[in-house]
């Protein structure tokens, strides 16, 4: 017999079905709770609430497992190819050679921005945060592609996905070049995804950027490791906005805004600032960890802790290794890596972090890799967004095709003033 959960409220009891996921996870289906009992559930920050069923990504936070469409992320490390993983996430299977070639061709074909869009960059101050520009420009894409507002079949989503995944690189690099007052560099159709991005970032009209294979692989892997993480804050935002049937561009622009915050994607910037503070001698690693444990200080050990992972974050393990290899292969030394290793060592032996199960997360080492590649700190969260985009698209599309999907609309528990009909209002 299928498992049921029994809820007792006073004299009455109610049965609710239990759904079992592919990996044995159990969820009590309470979608009829209010209709049947008059009660709602209270779950601030959704720590216990599965907002949907999804077939894209599996995480086991207790065992440090992350899989995309069933494939362990470690398997992507041998021959990292971000475009292949983007396809996998969105369409559910690894691409055939023909599918890959066609998709890669679309990415090349759509890399340019409409010339009209370039004028938008000019309107932003040089000091504009690149995440603000990114969100605005992704939203602006919906003005230039009204034909992609309604997506109903896989050809249409493929076209929209290719445009977005391709153009986000161009927007990101133009945002960077605008902030430096540098001329925009057009995409080069002969270059593949990651090399083309680095070309638009770092080439000059008179000097072509030469992309090292080590850098190419490290960046491909970094983007892959950011590509999806099931119902995180920004992906849930994309799904929330998409649930109103807002178009893909508008939904992803909202995802960029959610990602920006320092508790989410913005943490990679905060980590670098924390490491820099220590490097400049303003505070020792020991003092920093002490401060992060002090509830009154408001300081956190940035790049540590995760809502879902209660043992190691497998992305951090891989990225820590990549940071070391990349620096070694480039023949460079970065004191920030030593500081990060020292902070990790102190925290992992400290009862505060052990009891709360706080481990390095994806943002702890990513900045050291980005820095070695030459990406400036204010672009770090933009790099996270480029990586996360295929995940957002996959979730938007999964929800869009779900015939049972409804507009997302949480309930609340009202705790404000009771009825007040006698207040005197100023007219
Ligand atoms: N440093 C010090 N204490 C921490 C930290 C930290 N990094 N993270 C959590 N804690 C403490 C927290 O103070 C609380 O202690 P207590 O029980 O005594 O009140 C306990 O651990 C539980 O923390 P929480 O804030 O309730 O946990 P959460 O699941 O709501 O938050 C988190 C998860 C990632 C926002 C949080 O761990 C954090 O702020 N980490 C630092 C920011 C960061 O690295 N964010 C990137 C997350 S991974 C990538 C991404 O999602 O974008």
């Amino acid at each position: 017999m299928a498992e049921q959960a029994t809820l007792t409220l006073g004299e009455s009891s109610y049965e609710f079905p239990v759904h079992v996921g592919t990996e044995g996870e159990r969820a009590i289906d309470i979608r009829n709770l209010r209709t049947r009992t008059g009660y709602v559930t209270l779950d601030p920050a959704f720590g216990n609430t599965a907002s949907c069923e999804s077939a894209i990504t599996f995480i086991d936070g207790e065992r440090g497992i992350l899989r995309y469409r069933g494939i362990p992320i470690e398997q992507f490390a041998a021959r990292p190819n971000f475009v292949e993983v983007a396809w996998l996430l969105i369409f559910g299977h690894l691409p055939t050679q023909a599918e890959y070639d066609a998709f890669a061709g679309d990415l090349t074909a759509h890399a340019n921005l409409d010339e009209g869009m370039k004028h938008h960059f000019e309107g932003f101050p040089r000091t504009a945060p690149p995440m603000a520009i990114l969100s605005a420009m992704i939203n602006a894409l919906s003005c230039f592609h009204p034909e992609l507002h309604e997506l109903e079949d896989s050809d249409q989503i493929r076209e929209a996905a290719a445009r977005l995944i391709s153009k986000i690189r161009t927007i990101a690099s133009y945002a960077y070049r605008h902030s430096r007052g540098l001329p925009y560099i057009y995409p080069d159709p002969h270059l593949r995804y990651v090399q083309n991005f680095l070309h638009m970032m770092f080439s000059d009209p008179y000097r072509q950027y030469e992309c090292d294979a080590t850098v190419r692989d490290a960046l491909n892997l970094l983007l892959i490791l950011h590509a999806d993480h099931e119902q995180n804050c920004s992906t849930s935002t994309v799904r929330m906005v998409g649930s109103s049937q807002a178009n893909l561009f508008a939904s992803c622009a909202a995802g960029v805004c959610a990602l920006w915050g320092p508790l989410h994607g913005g943490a990679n910037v905060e980590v670098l600032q924390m490491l820099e503070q220590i490097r400049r001698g303003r505070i020792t690693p020991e003092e920093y960890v002490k401060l992060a444990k002090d509830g009154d200080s408001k300081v956190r050990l940035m790049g540590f802790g995760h809502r879902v992972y209660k043992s190691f974050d497998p992305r951090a393990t891989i990225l820590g290794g990549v940071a070391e290899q990349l620096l070694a292969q480039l023949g460079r030394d970065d004191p920030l890596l030593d500081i990060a290793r020292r902070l990790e060592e102190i925290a992992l032996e400290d009862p505060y972090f052990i009891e709360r199960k706080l481990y390095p997360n994806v943002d702890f080492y990513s900045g050291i890799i980005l820095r070695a590649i030459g990406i400036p700190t204010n672009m770090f969260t933009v790099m996270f967004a480029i990586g996360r985009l295929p995940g957002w698209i996959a979730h938007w599309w999964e929800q869009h095709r779900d015939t049972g999907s409804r507009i997302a609309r949480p309930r609340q528990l009202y705790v404000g003033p009771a009825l007040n009909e006698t207040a005197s209002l100023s007219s």
Side-chain angles (χ1 to χ4, degrees):
M1 203 179 95
E3 192 182 342
Q4 300 274 318
T6 307
L7 174 68
T8 306
L9 293 168
E11 301 290 300
S12 311
S13 19
Y14 305 87
E15 299 281 322
F16 292 94
V18 172
H19 294 230
V20 183
T22 317
E23 297 290 337
E25 286 187 309
R26 288 173 146 66
I28 304 168
D29 182 344
I30 56 156
R31 72 186 84 190
N32 297 321
L33 176 74
R34 189 168 173 280
T35 321
R36 291 174 61 197
T37 67
Y39 284 63
V40 295
T41 54
L42 182 62
D43 185 20
F46 312 120
N48 306 284
T49 299
S51 59
C52 62
E53 291 182 328
S54 178
I56 300 168
T57 286
F58 172 70
I59 303 176
D60 181 332
E62 267 66 38
R63 292 191 292 154
I65 291 174
L66 171 60
R67 297 180 197 142
Y68 296 157
R69 302 283 187 185
I71 303 176
I73 48 148
E74 291 76 7
Q75 288 193 14
F76 299 114
R79 195 185 44 83
N81 183 332
F82 176 63
V83 171
E84 188 178 59
V85 172
W87 178 282
L88 169 74
L89 288 167
I90 299 167
F91 299 106
H93 61 272
L94 285 168
T96 62
Q97 192 62 49
E99 285 169 335
Y100 180 83
D101 291 344
F103 194 55
D106 286 348
L107 292 175
T108 302
H110 297 310
N112 270 315
L113 301 182
D114 187 292
E115 285 292 310
M117 271 189 88
K118 276 175 46 186
H119 300 301
H120 292 262
F121 287 92
E122 304 308 326
F124 291 111
R126 287 270 168 85
T127 50
M131 285 297 272
I133 298 182
L134 190 68
S135 170
M137 289 306 204
I138 289 180
N139 210 7
L141 281 176
S142 52
C143 310
F144 292 90
H145 300 289
E147 76 286 4
L148 295 174
H149 285 194
E150 312 266 327
L151 305 176
E152 295 312 331
D153 60 40
S154 49
D155 286 344
Q156 289 171 320
I157 185 72
R158 200 187 89 178
E159 203 181 328
R163 282 201 153 87
L164 255 176
I165 294 172
S166 185
K167 290 182 197 304
I168 193 174
R169 289 173 301 185
T170 319
I171 295 171
S173 50
Y174 281 19
Y176 163 70
R177 296 192 70 93
H178 173 69
S179 74
R180 298 282 162 112
L182 298 168
Y184 304 131
I185 300 293
Y186 283 95
D188 179 341
H190 303 104
L191 296 175
R192 302 183 78 167
Y193 192 84
V194 158
Q195 293 96 310
N196 211 348
F197 168 68
L198 293 171
H199 156 70
M200 287 188 275
M201 286 284 290
F202 300 128
S203 284
D204 283 316
Y206 49 86
R207 183 191 53 84
Q208 180 89 1
Y209 171 84
E210 296 293 333
C211 183
D212 187 291
T214 319
V215 167
R216 176 201 65 202
D217 288 350
L219 191 49
N220 263 293
L221 187 53
L222 184 137
L223 295 176
I224 289 171
L225 295 176
H226 287 79
D228 192 41
H229 215 234
E230 46 117 307
Q231 310 307 320
N232 58 87
C233 177
S234 56
T235 303
S236 297
T237 301
V238 170
R239 288 187 88 120
M240 169 76 90
V241 175
S243 79
S244 73
Q245 297 183 358
N247 70 64
L248 179 66
F249 302 105
S251 305
C252 289
V256 173
C257 294
L259 187 72
W260 192 358
L263 295 189
H264 193 10
N268 55 16
V269 174
E270 304 276 328
V271 170
L272 229 284
Q273 286 165 353
M274 171 182 80
L275 298 176
E276 277 291 358
Q277 252 184 302
I278 297 172
R279 185 183 67 83
R280 291 202 192 108
R282 301 218 172 115
I283 187 166
T284 65
E286 289 76 8
E287 284 165 347
Y288 199 98
V289 170
K290 194 166 165 221
L291 207 56
K293 294 191 293 178
D294 177 356
D296 295 329
S297 76
K298 304 264 183 259
V299 170
R300 286 197 161 190
L301 186 54
M302 297 312 285
F304 252 73
H306 198 275
R307 173 66 58 78
V308 180
Y309 291 118
K310 296 303 164 198
S311 68
F312 65 98
D313 177 340
R315 302 169 301 175
T317 310
I318 298 173
L319 289 177
V322 172
E324 263 170 26
Q325 281 162 23
L326 181 64
L327 287 170
Q329 278 164 356
L330 295 178
R332 290 206 216 133
D333 210 11
D334 187 345
L336 298 194
L337 180 59
D338 300 329
I339 296 169
R341 288 288 186 211
R342 179 70 193 131
L343 280 173
E344 180 179 0
E345 198 175 73
I346 301 168
L348 294 185
E349 283 172 2
D350 190 305
Y352 174 97
F353 291 88
I354 296 169
E355 279 157 23
R356 290 169 180 75
K357 301 185 174 164
L358 303 170
Y359 292 84
N361 60 48
V362 68
D363 294 313
F364 197 64
Y365 288 108
S366 61
I368 293 170
I369 297 170
L370 293 172
R371 206 167 113 94
I373 295 173
I375 310 280
T377 312
N378 71 343
M379 288 289 290
F380 283 7
T381 315
V382 170
M383 300 307 296
F384 193 147
I386 297 175
R388 185 56 53 90
L389 183 62
W392 292 336
I393 297 171
H395 282 271
W396 185 95
W397 182 231
E398 181 178 67
Q399 176 176 264
H400 191 72
R401 279 178 308 158
D402 177 357
T403 49
S405 167
R406 301 165 75 202
I407 188 165
R409 205 304 184 184
R411 292 274 174 176
Q412 66 164 15
L413 187 63
Y414 177 68
V415 294
L419 176 64
N420 177 359
E421 288 182 315
T422 58
S424 52
L425 304 173
S426 54
S427 52

